[in-house]
């Protein structure tokens, strides 16, 4: 297998294949930086146009877009507190406060370096560990996947800080939104109120744009005389290689890469969950956890390295078993089928040059992020904060409307987005955390489907959820996340009294 990996390398350096990766990375950064657009959407539009291209040219474009978009989402997340992609939500926690302090350029440099490191780690995992690691997914049945989802929700509610009750309410709202639409097993309508547009559920992009884009835009328009208060000397004029010595986050990068790869292998999890878990773990092990959320660069590093470490690793079950781990992986499988490549074990035997060349393209795409993403972010996008706020707000609103309307081409989605925007504005004023809503939407349907499937397998016996070691380990971790902060607080209080 590894001889085939080396044999595929010269094909990747053919100028057409390499240029395809470069174009893909640039396009991905632009798409990711536009709130409402996503890598899934961009690749879905691209696939029909690749029919007449060579397989490696088409796959190179896809790999580049995927890598670029996962980083591109950090640009509006840092500058405007609007995550360009769902996976960039955790980046807003410390990235936006850094921008408010005049460190937006450095935050983007941390983001692009972390994204590149995560992408490189993920590409190596895909190249070297695809066959053995694909077997790990077979250990996770419906009950284990359900507990993974519960663990992810518990982590964001109880480890993110603030008021756990408000966090729980936010998460419950997200879970409620996730069950809107058709029942995944029986097909019954749930909370659709007779609206045919809601039968397929609420698209996460609509919720994300409404909750995260409208409240900051309203704030922008409420203070029209301010320009953002950015120190132009910190907008990225310092070359990225000179900023590297300040980035001493190797433990966070290693931990986040491991978490991102692991989450990527699990079908259905995705970069959002990886970013949240990496951020929570990095904050939990930090010497100064109280500074997180106020502009801690390590928080940006933790989120970005994990959400990029799940890119190529999400293709491990897709390429080896034909099971797409994420929506982007599913679209990429469609791209393979367009070119006559059948995902599964036979893919490695019948088309080794193409499949391993595709893996190399993921690696080069991650490396190119530093060169292309670094210059784009620090010398162009960061200066957005110097635009007059009314102009900036107007441009963002137009992009939001175009992005949301383009999902299905209907005004109903725009009205829905505006409704979620009003809810997000009220939650923001009442200090309800928004990330649990997003994670509740992502993991709610995921957890419900696997819970019901596990109970059907166990013929209604709830003990089926506790019948193996993997499930018990995940239950123990969930309990530790819920109880841990309380015990830690009591221990600290007792130490102070003593």
């Amino acid at each position: 297998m590894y001889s085939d990996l080396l044999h595929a390398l010269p094909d990747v350096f053919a100028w057409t294949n390499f240029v395809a990766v470069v174009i893909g990375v640039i396009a991905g950064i632009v798409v990711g930086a536009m709130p409402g657009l996503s890598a899934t959407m961009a690749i879905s539009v691209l696939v029909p146009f690749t029919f007449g291209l060579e397989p490696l040219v088409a796959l190179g474009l896809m790999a580049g877009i995927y890598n670029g978009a996962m980083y591109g989402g950090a640009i509006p997340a840092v500058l405007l507190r609007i995550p360009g992609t769902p996976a960039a939500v955790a980046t807003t926690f410390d990235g936006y406060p850094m921008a408010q302090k005049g460190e937006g350029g450095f935050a983007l440099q941390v983001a692009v370096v972390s994204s590149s490191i995560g992408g490189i780690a993920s590409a190596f995992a895909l190249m070297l560990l695809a066959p053995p690691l694909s077997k790990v997914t077979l250990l996770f049945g419906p009950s284990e996947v359900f507990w993974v989802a519960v663990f992810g929700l518990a982590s964001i509610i109880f480890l993110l800080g603030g008021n756990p009750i408000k966090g729980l309410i936010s998460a419950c709202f997200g879970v409620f939104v996730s069950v809107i639409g058709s029942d995944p097993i029986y097909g019954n309508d749930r909370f659709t109120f007779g609206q045919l547009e809601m039968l397929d559920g609420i698209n996460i992009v609509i919720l994300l744009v409404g909750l995260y884009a409208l409240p900051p835009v309203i704030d922008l328009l409420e203070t029209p005389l301010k320009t953002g208060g950015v120190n132009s000397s910190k907008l990225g004029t310092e070359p990225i290689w000179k900023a590297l010595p300040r980035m001493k986050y190797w433990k966070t990068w290693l931990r986040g890469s491991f978490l991102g790869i692991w989450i990527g292998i699990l079908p259905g999890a995705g970069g959002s969950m990886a970013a949240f878990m990496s951020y929570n773990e990095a904050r939990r092990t930090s010497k100064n956890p109280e500074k997180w959320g106020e502009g801690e660069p390590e928080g940006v590093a933790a989120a970005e390295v994990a959400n990029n470490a799940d890119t190529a690793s999400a293709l491990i079950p897709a390429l080896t078993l034909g099971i797409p781990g994420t929506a982007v992986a599913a679209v990429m499988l469609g791209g393979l089928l367009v070119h006559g490549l059948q995902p599964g074990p036979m893919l490695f035997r019948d088309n080794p040059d193409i499949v391993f060349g595709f893996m190399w393209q993921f690696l080069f795409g991650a490396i190119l992020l530093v060169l292309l993403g670094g210059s784009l972010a620090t010398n162009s996008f960061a200066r957005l904060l110097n635009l007059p706020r009314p102009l900036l707000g107007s441009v963002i609103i137009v992009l939001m409307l175009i992005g949301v309307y383009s999902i299905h081409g209907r005004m109903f989605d725009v009205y829905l987005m505006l409704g979620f925007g009003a809810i997000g504005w009220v939650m923001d004023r009442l200090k309800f955390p928004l990330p649990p809503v997003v994670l509740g939407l992502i993991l709610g349907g995921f957890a419900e489907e696997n819970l019901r499937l596990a109970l059907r397998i166990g013929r209604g016996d709830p003990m089926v959820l506790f019948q193996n070691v993997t499930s018990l380990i995940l239950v123990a971790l969930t309990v530790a996340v819920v109880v841990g902060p309380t015990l830690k607080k009591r221990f600290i209080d007792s130490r102070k009294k003593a």
Side-chain angles (χ1 to χ4, degrees):
M1 183 187 82
Y2 297 112
S3 62
D4 290 332
L5 181 65
L6 295 175
H7 187 263
L9 185 58
D11 293 337
V12 179
F13 282 111
W15 75 270
T16 52
N17 299 335
F18 191 78
V19 169
V21 179
V22 174
I23 294 173
V25 170
I26 296 173
I29 293 172
V30 174
V31 167
M34 296 177 67
L37 304 184
S38 65
T40 308
M41 186 186 302
I43 296 173
S44 299
V45 173
L46 173 69
V47 166
F49 294 98
T50 66
F51 187 79
L53 301 177
E54 291 293 323
L56 277 180
V57 175
L59 295 176
L61 282 169
M62 294 183 200
I65 288 174
Y66 196 4
N67 271 303
M70 293 302 286
Y71 159 66
I75 296 171
V78 169
L79 302 181
L80 304 169
R81 212 198 71 177
I82 302 173
T85 59
V89 173
T91 307
T92 63
F93 300 163
D94 286 283
Y96 184 65
M98 286 182 68
Q100 288 182 308
K101 294 191 295 185
E103 297 179 351
F106 181 59
L108 290 173
Q109 289 177 329
V110 172
V112 73
V113 171
S114 302
S115 297
S116 182
I117 290 172
I120 291 170
S122 186
F124 275 121
L126 177 62
M127 287 193 296
L128 305 177
L129 304 175
L133 281 183
S134 64
K135 298 178 182 178
V136 174
T137 60
L138 300 177
L139 300 176
F140 285 76
S143 59
E144 291 85 1
V145 173
F146 166 72
W147 285 116
V148 167
V150 173
F151 175 69
L153 281 170
S155 297
I156 193 62
I157 292 170
F158 292 95
L159 293 182
L160 191 60
N163 190 328
I165 302 299
K166 288 185 176 181
L168 183 61
I169 293 173
S170 296
C172 288
F173 174 63
V175 172
F176 168 73
V177 174
S178 75
V179 302
I180 294 174
S182 299
D183 185 297
I185 294 179
Y186 296 109
N188 299 324
D189 296 352
R190 301 186 300 190
F191 307 109
T192 60
F193 305 104
Q195 298 292 329
L196 295 177
E197 294 90 345
M198 297 177 70
L199 286 177
D200 291 332
I202 304 298
N203 189 293
I204 187 172
V205 174
I206 297 172
L207 177 84
L208 195 64
V209 172
L211 285 182
Y212 274 91
L214 272 185
V217 170
I218 293 172
D219 290 338
L220 281 174
L221 298 178
E222 283 179 343
T223 53
L225 297 180
K226 296 182 180 178
T227 59
V230 178
N231 184 343
S232 60
S233 66
K234 295 184 178 180
L235 272 180
T237 53
E238 180 184 45
I240 197 165
W241 57 85
K242 290 186 178 180
L244 282 174
R246 298 166 59 189
M247 303 181 195
K248 300 177 181 179
Y249 314 126
W250 288 106
K251 290 183 180 179
T252 298
W253 285 333
L254 289 172
R255 186 193 304 110
S257 296
F258 174 79
L259 284 171
I261 291 169
W262 177 64
I263 294 296
I265 294 170
L266 297 179
S272 301
M273 185 175 176
F276 281 123
M277 290 183 66
S278 175
Y279 183 88
N280 287 330
E281 282 300 303
R283 178 177 180 174
R284 185 180 63 82
T285 57
S286 174
K287 295 180 180 178
N288 303 300
E290 68 281 355
K291 293 183 179 180
W292 288 58
E294 298 177 0
E296 173 58 53
E298 192 172 355
V300 177
E304 282 299 304
V305 72
N307 69 35
N308 280 267
D310 104 307
T311 51
S313 61
L315 289 170
I316 291 174
L319 295 178
T320 57
L321 301 174
I323 303 172
T326 61
V328 183
V331 174
M332 285 190 167
L333 289 190
L336 289 170
L337 292 171
V338 164
H339 292 278
L341 304 170
Q342 180 62 46
M346 297 300 101
L347 180 64
F348 290 83
R349 187 194 69 181
D350 299 337
N351 305 99
D353 287 349
I354 294 176
V355 69
F356 287 117
F358 186 33
M359 295 177 182
W360 280 113
Q361 288 174 322
F362 261 100
L363 177 63
F364 295 141
I367 295 172
L368 286 170
L369 272 182
V370 174
L371 302 176
L372 302 176
S375 60
L376 278 173
T378 56
N379 297 326
S380 302
F381 284 101
R383 301 189 183 277
L384 283 173
L385 286 179
N386 279 333
L387 290 175
R389 289 195 170 215
L391 174 61
L392 191 57
S394 303
V395 170
I396 294 169
I397 289 175
V398 171
L399 292 177
M400 284 162 44
L401 296 176
I402 292 173
V404 171
Y405 182 80
S406 66
I407 297 173
H408 298 119
R410 60 195 186 196
M411 286 302 297
F412 181 84
D413 293 340
V414 175
Y415 302 143
L416 204 58
M417 180 269 289
L418 295 174
F420 280 122
I423 294 172
W425 184 82
V426 172
M427 292 180 69
D428 199 38
R429 290 297 183 271
L430 297 177
K431 305 299 182 184
F432 278 84
L434 296 180
V437 180
V438 179
L439 202 63
L441 175 60
I442 293 169
L443 297 182
F446 184 51
E448 180 208 6
E449 186 175 348
N450 284 280
L451 172 62
R452 294 174 68 180
L453 183 58
L455 292 176
R456 286 171 69 86
I457 292 172
R459 298 183 179 181
D461 183 6
M463 293 308 295
V464 72
L465 300 173
F466 307 92
Q467 284 184 348
N468 58 61
V469 176
T470 308
S471 292
L472 293 176
I473 292 173
L474 290 168
V475 171
L477 289 172
T478 304
V479 172
V481 165
V482 174
V483 179
T486 303
L487 294 179
K488 183 179 179 181
K489 184 178 179 181
R490 289 186 178 180
F491 176 74
I492 293 173
D493 290 343
S494 63
R495 289 281 300 271
K496 288 181 178 178
K497 291 179 181 178

